[in-house]
Amino acid sequence: MEIRPAADLLCDVLKLSAIYPISLVMDQKTADASIHSAMKIPAVSALYLAVDGRSPITIRPTNAATWGSTTTTSGTVIDVAKTNHPTESLFHELLHADLKLNGYLQHLTFVRISQETIVQSLAGALDNELQHHRMFKEFVDAGFSPELFYNDEDDQTYIDIRKELKRTNPKKCSAASYFLQYLSVIAPGGAGGEEKRKQLENLFRAKVPKDKMKQLDEAAIELINWGTLTAIDPGPTIVKILESLGPFDGWWIGTSQNFPDDGYFTGSSFTPVDANRYARANP
């Protein structure tokens, strides 16, 4: 049986069509200085100490374009990248860590008997966005600007999506593929602002076929509603979103390798025998 674990997504913003150049090599001294600067804000310091007390924090410099983090009960690693906003970036990653430590379940392990591979991309993107929809209110309530919820390059996101949308063939692009772009339209906060967000939404409604736009709207409702709930298991919401964008049959999405107890099927259930048979036929 093929089980495919996926690591925590380290990129905090879904970048759909651009890879940004690295203009600064981040070292440990600079990373530590960024953390020290951010810790001067009481809300950041308090959350840092709370997370560190439950999952000891390691600060690690990265030459990636964005900050990122991974969290387990044994430890949290925060990857520090070049940024003009270290305070907001650190608080953002601490919110991710705090949410996971409070029981948020990441569904990033997959078993399949299907050739449809976009499900894994959707689940990975949704893991990040589901957390953002739950974190955003705390970010703003702490006094931070909604425009700084993501990274320094976020002002480019809407521009990139508009370019991608204009060159996409509506007949060939699936609702699921459109939704990977639409996630940035419905994401909370961001540098684009509400006026540009509405303009981008209108472009989607003009370019995307009505039947596919209906699927996007149904999926978006599920994602936005999740942000208002208190449940810590996003699995049912992920399945509902996939059902809206599919149908996708033949996948199991789980929180561990304990198949099938620690996860959910998309469509019909299947057995380890079925999964092994598929894996042998599709090496």
Side-chain angles (χ1 to χ4, degrees):
M1 179 173 63
E2 181 186 37
I3 296 181
R4 297 185 175 181
D8 289 75
L9 295 179
L10 297 182
C11 183
D12 271 330
V13 181
L14 181 64
K15 294 300 179 185
L16 297 165
S17 59
I19 298 176
Y20 297 97
I22 303 302
S23 57
L24 177 70
V25 175
M26 177 64 70
D27 57 30
Q28 190 67 54
K29 182 178 179 180
T30 307
D32 290 341
S34 293
I35 299 301
H36 179 73
S37 172
M39 291 279 282
K40 294 177 182 179
I41 303 301
V44 177
S45 178
L47 186 55
Y48 187 102
L49 293 174
V51 170
D52 190 51
R54 302 169 65 187
S55 175
I57 295 174
T58 298
I59 301 301
R60 184 172 64 186
T62 179
N63 294 329
T66 64
W67 288 46
S69 62
T70 57
T71 296
T72 66
T73 54
S74 61
T76 290
V77 176
I78 297 179
D79 291 298
V80 178
K82 175 193 174 184
T83 179
N84 294 322
H85 307 287
T87 304
E88 288 83 359
S89 297
L90 177 57
F91 196 69
H92 183 117
E93 297 308 326
L94 291 172
L95 288 172
H96 273 297
D98 188 56
L99 183 62
K100 295 169 190 175
L101 291 171
N102 287 332
Y104 174 86
L105 299 173
Q106 294 185 276
H107 292 72
L108 294 173
T109 303
F110 308 93
V111 181
R112 64 180 175 127
I113 56 171
S114 168
Q115 295 282 358
E116 183 58 81
T117 59
I118 198 170
V119 170
Q120 190 164 343
S121 298
L122 283 167
L126 284 171
D127 174 65
N128 206 34
E129 294 306 313
L130 286 160
Q131 293 181 62
H132 287 164
H133 279 266
R134 191 63 63 85
M135 292 160 39
F136 180 67
K137 184 177 185 301
E138 292 182 71
F139 185 87
V140 175
D141 287 350
F144 295 113
S145 169
E147 288 76 19
L148 299 179
F149 188 52
Y150 304 106
N151 65 41
D152 293 3
E153 308 291 353
D154 189 47
D155 57 356
Q156 185 70 25
T157 299
Y158 285 0
I159 296 172
D160 294 336
I161 294 174
R162 292 180 74 90
K163 291 178 181 178
E164 186 68 24
L165 190 59
K166 288 179 179 180
R167 62 173 174 251
T168 297
N169 185 332
K171 293 182 179 180
K172 294 183 179 180
C173 189
S174 67
S177 294
Y178 274 127
F179 191 68
L180 285 172
Q181 300 175 346
Y182 198 62
L183 283 170
S184 292
V185 178
I186 60 176
E194 293 307 313
E195 182 178 352
K196 291 182 180 179
R197 184 195 305 275
K198 187 62 179 178
Q199 291 173 354
L200 185 56
E201 179 187 346
N202 290 339
L203 181 61
F204 267 89
R205 297 193 182 282
K207 294 289 185 180
V208 178
K210 289 184 178 180
D211 58 335
K212 295 176 183 176
M213 194 68 228
K214 181 180 178 182
Q215 291 177 273
L216 266 60
D217 285 335
E218 291 174 355
I221 288 172
E222 294 294 341
L223 178 53
I224 293 170
N225 283 347
W226 157 261
T228 67
L229 303 176
T230 58
I232 57 175
D233 181 4
T237 295
I238 293 172
V239 171
K240 288 179 182 178
I241 290 172
L242 292 175
E243 288 174 347
S244 298
L245 299 171
F248 296 112
D249 201 9
W251 278 82
W252 176 86
I253 302 171
T255 60
S256 76
Q257 294 191 18
N258 184 23
F259 173 87
D261 293 344
D262 291 349
Y264 299 87
F265 291 101
T266 64
S268 305
S269 62
F270 53 88
T271 69
V273 173
D274 298 325
N276 280 323
R277 184 182 301 116
Y278 175 84
R280 286 194 299 269
N282 300 271

